[in-house]
Amino acid sequence: MRIVAAGGAIIGWAVLALQFYLIAMEGAEQGWSSAEVLARFFNFFTILTNILVASTLTQAALAPGRGILGRPPAQAAVASYIVVVWLIYFTLLRRIWAPAGLQWQANIMLHYVMPALYVGFWLAFVRKGRLRWAMAVAWLAYPLLYLAWALIRGAVSGFYPYPFINAAALGYERVALNALGIAGVFLVIGLVFVALDRLLARSGGADVAATGAGRRAPR
C-alpha cells in the first residue's frame, strides 16, 4: 500500500509542478505579477483537488492512518472530489478547451490519470465500513468554500476559472443555479462513495485487507 501511495504521490506532485510551470510561463508572457501567478494557480478547483489527492497519498505513504488525511472519511471525501473533477471536465469542459503540447499532457494527468489512480487506491487500500450517510452532506463544505473563493477572486480580478461560475457574464442568479446543480452532483457522488464503502465492508473489502475486520459505521 505504501509503495502504491508513494508512486501516486510522486506522479501527483510532478504533474502539479508541471502545471505551475505552465501557468508561470503564461504569466511571463502576459506580464502577470508573481502574486497573480500564484492566485491563478490556486484558483482552479482541479488543481486544489489534485493537491488534496497528492497530499493524501503522501500521508498514506509516510504515515498511514495518521492525521486528518489518514482517516477513512477524509480519504473518501477526497475520492468524491476528484471524481467530480473528472466528471465536470468530461461532460462540460473538454469540448470548449483543447490544450496542446505540455498543457495537454498536464490536462490528461490532472483530469483522467490522477482520478483513476486515486479511486483505485481508495478501492484497494482504504479501510471500509467507517462512513455514515450524513458525511456526504458535510463533504459539501469544501466545494462551497471554493465557490466563495472563486467568486470573491473573480469580483476583484475579473478572472473566473470556469464559465459556469462566471458571474460577470452570467449574473449571480444564474451562477447560483449552476452552483446548486453542481452541489447536487457532489452530493450524489458522495452518497455513492458511502454506499460503496458499506457494500465493500459487508463483503470484506479493503478494511479486512488493510487492518482486519474493524468497527463498522452505524446505520
Side-chain angles (χ1 to χ4, degrees):
M1 184 274 288
R2 297 180 76 167
I3 292 173
V4 172
I10 291 170
I11 294 170
W13 291 119
V15 72
L16 284 165
L18 172 60
Q19 184 61 65
F20 182 80
Y21 167 79
L22 294 170
I23 291 177
M25 289 302 97
E26 181 183 1
E29 294 175 0
Q30 300 295 328
W32 299 341
S33 66
S34 297
E36 179 65 19
V37 169
L38 285 172
R40 293 270 179 137
F41 182 74
F42 291 110
N43 210 190
F44 289 92
F45 188 83
T46 293
I47 291 174
L48 293 174
T49 305
N50 272 276
I51 289 173
L52 275 178
V53 166
S55 298
T56 303
L57 290 171
T58 301
Q59 180 72 37
L62 298 179
R66 298 181 182 177
I68 293 175
L69 293 178
R71 298 173 184 173
Q75 293 167 324
V78 172
S80 72
Y81 301 148
I82 199 65
V83 166
V84 175
V85 165
W86 164 78
L87 184 62
I88 295 298
Y89 179 79
F90 186 79
T91 58
L92 298 180
L93 299 176
R94 67 188 176 97
R95 295 180 181 86
I96 62 175
W97 190 50
L102 286 176
Q103 185 60 73
W104 178 82
Q105 296 177 36
N107 184 62
I108 292 297
M109 296 296 294
L110 292 169
H111 292 105
Y112 292 102
V113 175
M114 291 308 297
L117 190 156
Y118 185 77
V119 171
F121 172 83
W122 182 83
L123 287 170
F125 298 114
V126 173
R127 292 169 294 170
K128 304 301 188 299
R130 310 300 176 95
L131 304 184
R132 300 187 300 273
W133 296 110
M135 289 178 177
V137 177
W139 295 344
L140 294 176
Y142 166 63
L144 290 175
L145 285 171
Y146 168 77
L147 176 64
W149 151 243
L151 291 178
I152 292 170
R153 159 83 179 150
V156 172
S157 69
F159 174 74
Y160 294 88
Y162 303 106
F164 45 81
I165 59 169
N166 188 335
L170 302 176
Y172 285 102
E173 182 177 351
R174 180 58 186 272
V175 167
L177 291 174
N178 291 343
L180 185 62
I182 293 173
V185 173
F186 275 101
L187 181 59
V188 169
I189 297 298
L191 291 171
V192 167
F193 273 95
V194 175
L196 277 173
D197 171 84
R198 289 167 171 261
L199 179 63
L200 292 171
R202 293 192 188 100
S203 62
D207 187 52
V208 174
T211 60
R215 179 178 59 86
R216 299 184 180 181
R219 297 181 184 279

